[in-house]
Amino acid sequence: MYQIVPIAPGEQQTAGRDGDSPLKKKLAREGRPLVMAGMLGFLLVLAAVVAWCYYSISPRKAQLLKTELLDLNKDGFIVRNQAGAVVFTMTFRSGTLDLDSCSKEESILSCTQSDSGKLNFFIQTVRPKDTVMCYRVRWEEMQNQHSVEHAMAYNDSHWYGGAETAIQYWPVRIQGEEEPRPFITSDVYADRNAFGGILERYWLSSNATAIKINDSVPFHLGWSEKNRTLRFLARYQDSPFRPPEGQQALPELSYRVCVGTDVTSIHKYMVRRYLPKPVKVPSPEVFTYPVWSSWAFHKTAITQEKLLQYASDITKHGFRSSHLELDDCYTADYGEFDFDPQKFPNASGMFEKLREDGFQVSLWTHPFINYDSINFGVAVEKGLFVREPSGELPALVRWWNGIGGILDFTNPEAREWYSSHLRMLKTRYDVISFKFDAGETSYLPRQFTTLVPLSDPSTFTRRYTEMAIPFSERAELRVGYQSQNISCFFRIIDRDSVWGYELGLKSIIPTVLTVGILGYQFVLPDTIGGNAYPNRTADGKDGLPERELYIRWLELSAFMPAMQFSIPPWAYDNEVVQIAQKFTQLHETLVAPRVLELAGEVLDTGDPIIRPLWWIANDDEAAYKIDSQFLIGDDLMVAPVLEPGKQERDIYLPAGRWKSYKGEHFDKGPIYLTDYPVDLDEVAFFTWVH
């Protein structure tokens, strides 16, 4: 919008020259106004002519280009809300529009030229409902084969979504300067700077705006702390993305921006419109009773004897189990599908004994076949592996348990071969389900081919998650990309046994909230106490996580959708066992019934089970920044202790009437409860009183 800015006039030089007669001076004084009036009149006429010409030739430059609440200029666009405030700003970094090539037809603004040549650019306005305005934006290069980049400003708002990360903050924090890199699934335990195994091209703002990048975009994400922007880039060159077969490698950046009245309602709209939803609720037993995994406690040293003893100890100490999860290293080689007779001399008898004792068992599985496995040659002969670019040879990959091939899940034969072995295990041993490990694109070779070409490498992750569908009642995945409808449990990546935000205790709430915003609601928050990996464990003894850390982790997990033990409470002392019994019982009686009710609603709404405080307080600035409290539904708020050595914490209560777990009533809100006492065997939680 053009604006006339008044300029202060300079001083007029009006003194007469020496020797001028009084008459001349008088005429000069009287003539000056006439001359100035004439000049002013001339200038006004000239300005009118210039303006007429300007507006005739290029009215769009004068008016910018407007559609509804969006203003477009050559360098980008802004979006306003109904109140007129700017809530979204996008800058074109890779080129500027030639506004003379732009036109408007009904709800579509389109342009055909940029400063670098021909393009297909448009913004289409869509008003799906009275309270939501959406804009479809597309910038497609017709000549330039390099890249398209737009930068989204933060606009003093808080943003959520994107991806699971190793250092997880809520809301998203922009730190440093990061050049755009491929937005694809990666193992953030192995690469702490990568994007995680669960990601979606979706972000949500406290300004009640949301953006969804289209699936067709070869999408790279970067950021700038200095400019307070997220950088969205489309590129095929020097990238793992490939253009669809038969198409030129001309980059296209397209996305949808939607603006609503509040952050909760705009998120609900975006989920209904753009994210898949689960088609069924998985096993109620997993929501109700803990999963017990062999991994963190026994690692790869698990044997038949140790597993039977582990199960016996669970029963002896009075705990219940949804199922027992037999993890890594039960086969002789990686890529085989039967038990190592050295470690499990009587697998059938072991399963029979576990069934008699009331235990269901799930097994660990993965997409790799190591080169020393008897199945490696079989898979080469059948053409089941991801291949080198030539398509002639299987591509070897390195993963945390060695070197081998990775199955090509775009190949129906590979899918059936893998599934048939899982079905065989299920039938032979009455296995209840599987823990599907890995699946990130970071385990694909840098250059590769698949039977069905992948434009987006993360489609490989999607294809792998589909392998869990027949076992989804109790299946566990750690990756997700457009996989919300798989309807199984999604585990956040392995945690270290530390307190902080880098894969530690403080990272759990931000991560669960983030994957919830991305549409993954049936969450396993990883094993209680973390994985006790050497050199990644805080002050523990005898290879165990620190005792206080373990207890606080246990207490937080009791309020998550599902609980998962590996390091058992009896590895510590009787007090820890009693605390664990108290909180598994609390989960069973208080949390699980509420979670199951909300899980049923997820199928229709996609709403998170674990919710941020702003879900019920979206006009409350404080609620947007709280990352250590959460809601289960709208009416149960949890505030765990996440700091070492603390038996108190500050708690924020949004507006409303709240009743504490101690029976206290708080009617005036919003309020802070400072240094609220919370003993080592307690979690502060509050219910909303209707």
Side-chain angles (χ1 to χ4, degrees):
M1 184 181 295
Y2 282 88
Q3 190 175 5
I4 299 173
V5 180
I7 300 174
E11 290 184 7
Q12 302 286 341
Q13 300 296 322
T14 59
R17 292 188 299 273
D18 290 342
D20 285 345
S21 68
L23 179 60
K24 284 184 177 180
K25 289 180 180 179
K26 182 182 178 185
L27 289 170
R29 282 196 301 272
E30 292 175 352
R32 260 187 224 117
L34 293 173
V35 172
M36 290 183 69
M39 289 178 65
L40 184 60
F42 174 74
L43 288 171
L44 287 170
V45 171
L46 182 62
V49 171
V50 169
W52 181 84
C53 293
Y54 182 80
Y55 282 100
S56 297
I57 294 167
S58 184
R60 292 168 297 281
K61 287 185 180 177
Q63 300 169 5
L64 294 173
L65 283 156
K66 293 174 176 289
T67 175
E68 296 292 344
L69 300 171
L70 180 145
D71 294 350
L72 172 70
N73 64 34
K74 65 184 180 64
D75 299 311
F77 63 90
I78 62 170
V79 179
R80 304 176 191 275
N81 62 16
Q82 295 287 351
V86 174
V87 292
F88 187 86
T89 304
M90 189 72 87
T91 302
F92 305 145
R93 283 179 56 94
S94 55
T96 59
L97 293 175
D98 176 357
L99 295 184
D100 285 329
S101 75
C102 300
S103 61
K104 181 176 180 181
E105 187 171 334
E106 295 183 348
S107 63
I108 300 177
L109 292 171
S110 59
C111 307
T112 58
Q113 289 282 338
S114 71
D115 59 348
S116 61
K118 289 183 180 178
L119 85 160
N120 171 23
F121 174 87
F122 71 79
I123 298 179
Q124 180 181 12
T125 305
V126 181
R127 186 160 204 154
K129 52 194 293 189
D130 288 344
T131 56
V132 176
M133 184 75 77
C134 293
Y135 304 92
R136 293 178 56 216
V137 182
R138 180 185 181 95
W139 182 305
E140 181 182 16
E141 290 287 347
M142 308 304 286
Q143 293 174 316
N144 166 31
Q145 294 195 2
H146 297 294
S147 63
V148 179
E149 183 180 344
H150 295 176
M152 182 183 78
Y154 257 43
N155 279 337
D156 296 321
S157 60
H158 307 291
W159 286 86
Y160 311 91
E164 178 185 19
T165 52
I167 302 176
Q168 197 90 50
Y169 294 117
W170 178 272
V172 173
R173 289 188 198 174
I174 291 182
Q175 295 183 318
E177 308 297 309
E178 185 69 37
E179 286 297 310
R181 47 193 165 91
F183 192 69
I184 54 179
T185 59
S186 300
D187 178 352
V188 291
Y189 195 86
D191 180 358
R192 301 289 170 106
N193 296 315
F195 303 116
I198 298 176
L199 57 71
E200 299 293 336
R201 302 170 168 200
Y202 170 62
W203 286 266
L204 175 71
S205 158
S206 59
N207 272 347
T209 58
I211 183 168
K212 173 71 170 63
I213 310 293
N214 287 358
D215 298 343
S216 57
V217 175
F219 181 50
H220 299 62
L221 177 67
W223 53 84
S224 170
E225 182 178 9
K226 176 184 171 186
N227 298 325
R228 291 191 55 75
T229 56
L230 286 180
R231 298 172 59 186
F232 301 148
L233 181 136
R235 183 179 72 216
Y236 287 115
Q237 291 189 350
D238 302 318
S239 162
F241 292 94
R242 298 287 175 265
E245 278 197 292
Q247 293 189 19
Q248 284 185 281
L250 294 170
E252 160 238 326
L253 181 57
S254 57
Y255 46 88
R256 288 166 168 80
V257 177
C258 292
V259 182
T261 54
D262 65 80
V263 62
T264 304
S265 63
I266 194 64
H267 175 67
K268 285 172 173 276
Y269 169 77
M270 296 297 285
V271 168
R272 282 196 300 271
R273 181 68 182 83
Y274 298 118
L275 298 181
K277 285 185 280 300
V279 296
K280 64 177 182 177
V281 176
S283 168
E285 284 79 8
V286 181
F287 286 111
T288 307
Y289 309 114
V291 177
W292 294 82
S293 167
S294 66
W295 173 246
F297 195 44
H298 289 297
K299 305 292 195 299
T300 55
I302 189 66
T303 63
Q304 176 175 318
E305 182 183 357
K306 288 178 180 177
L307 188 66
L308 288 170
Q309 184 62 53
Y310 190 54
S312 173
D313 287 342
I314 292 168
T315 303
K316 183 174 80 175
H317 289 92
F319 291 97
R320 301 183 71 172
S321 163
S322 64
H323 61 272
L324 199 59
E325 195 171 74
L326 176 53
D327 209 289
D328 191 355
C329 213
Y330 59 86
T331 60
D333 292 302
Y334 292 107
E336 294 172 18
F337 295 88
D338 210 345
F339 286 84
D340 179 351
Q342 300 290 317
K343 298 176 75 176
F344 295 85
N346 183 8
S348 296
M350 178 187 75
F351 275 92
E352 190 174 332
K353 169 71 170 139
L354 289 169
R355 275 194 302 276
E356 287 174 3
D357 293 342
F359 287 94
Q360 306 267 26
V361 182
S362 69
L363 295 177
W364 178 73
T365 185
H366 55 83
F368 308 103
I369 301 178
N370 280 9
Y371 68 89
D372 55 356
S373 163
I374 55 172
N375 281 329
F376 186 83
V378 174
V380 169
E381 186 179 337
K382 292 177 176 289
L384 306 182
F385 286 132
V386 171
R387 295 171 172 264
E388 291 184 337
S390 67
E392 297 296 317
L393 298 170
L396 292 180
V397 299
R398 183 182 296 277
W399 64 298
W400 65 90
N401 277 328
I403 296 172
I406 185 167
L407 291 167
D408 177 3
F409 292 105
T410 74
N411 181 346
E413 284 190 40
R415 293 164 72 93
E416 174 53 31
W417 184 85
Y418 182 65
S419 289
S420 67
H421 282 83
L422 299 185
R423 290 195 300 270
M424 177 273 294
L425 281 168
K426 186 172 172 59
T427 302
R428 181 178 296 175
Y429 300 109
D430 198 21
V431 170
I432 192 69
S433 192
F434 296 91
K435 170 187 174 178
F436 292 82
D437 216 348
E440 297 91 348
T441 63
S442 53
Y443 289 109
L444 292 169
R446 282 187 64 82
Q447 301 290 328
F448 66 90
T449 57
T450 47
L451 183 69
V452 177
L454 298 177
S455 295
D456 177 354
S458 292
T459 305
F460 180 86
T461 294
R462 164 69 200 184
R463 296 288 168 262
Y464 179 58
T465 63
E466 290 166 357
M467 305 310 297
I469 291 174
F471 315 101
S472 61
E473 275 285 295
R474 298 181 194 231
E476 174 186 321
L477 286 160
R478 79 175 200 188
V479 292
Y481 177 65
Q482 302 173 358
S483 307
Q484 296 90 338
N485 60 346
I486 300 299
S487 308
C488 70
F489 291 90
F490 288 86
R491 177 177 64 85
I492 62 177
I493 196 68
D494 299 28
R495 303 287 115 174
D496 288 327
S497 299
V498 296
W499 289 90
Y501 283 103
E502 184 174 336
L503 297 179
L505 178 61
K506 285 186 183 176
S507 72
I508 292 175
I509 296 173
T511 304
V512 172
L513 289 173
T514 296
V515 300
I517 287 297
L518 300 179
Y520 297 89
Q521 313 307 348
F522 307 145
V523 180
L524 278 170
D526 200 38
T527 53
I528 290 165
N531 286 273
Y533 293 130
N535 304 320
R536 296 190 184 275
T537 300
D539 300 326
K541 295 178 181 177
D542 303 320
L544 297 174
E546 185 183 345
R547 182 179 184 272
E548 182 189 7
L549 174 68
Y550 182 89
I551 292 170
R552 293 305 192 191
W553 206 304
L554 159 67
E555 292 165 352
L556 169 58
S557 292
F559 288 88
M560 288 285 146
M563 299 181 73
Q564 192 171 25
F565 282 100
S566 182
I567 294 165
W570 54 89
Y572 294 92
D573 53 53
N574 192 50
E575 184 188 13
V576 177
V577 171
Q578 289 176 353
I579 294 171
Q581 288 169 337
K582 170 183 172 180
F583 279 97
T584 53
Q585 182 69 21
L586 186 69
H587 178 85
E588 182 182 331
T589 57
L590 173 70
V591 179
R594 185 77 183 104
V595 165
L596 280 164
E597 180 185 346
L598 293 163
E601 295 174 9
V602 168
L603 309 187
D604 297 321
T605 66
D607 289 351
I609 293 172
I610 304 298
R611 299 174 183 175
L613 262 58
W614 53 250
W615 192 265
I616 60 167
N618 46 53
D619 57 351
D620 185 341
E621 175 65 19
Y624 285 109
K625 296 180 281 190
I626 290 175
D627 67 354
S628 63
Q629 298 174 221
F630 59 92
L631 296 161
I632 303 174
D634 286 348
D635 51 14
L636 178 58
M637 191 188 69
V638 186
V641 173
L642 306 175
E643 298 277 355
K646 297 287 187 182
Q647 295 202 18
E648 70 283 324
R649 64 156 293 165
D650 294 345
I651 296 172
Y652 185 72
L653 295 179
R657 300 174 62 203
W658 296 92
K659 180 182 177 182
S660 80
Y661 67 108
K662 299 175 182 179
E664 306 150 307
H665 286 267
F666 301 93
D667 296 335
K668 294 178 181 177
I671 57 171
Y672 274 105
L673 306 177
T674 57
D675 295 330
Y676 186 84
V678 187
D679 289 343
L680 183 61
D681 65 344
E682 292 182 323
V683 170
F685 63 93
F686 302 77
T687 51
W688 194 68
V689 181
H690 296 275

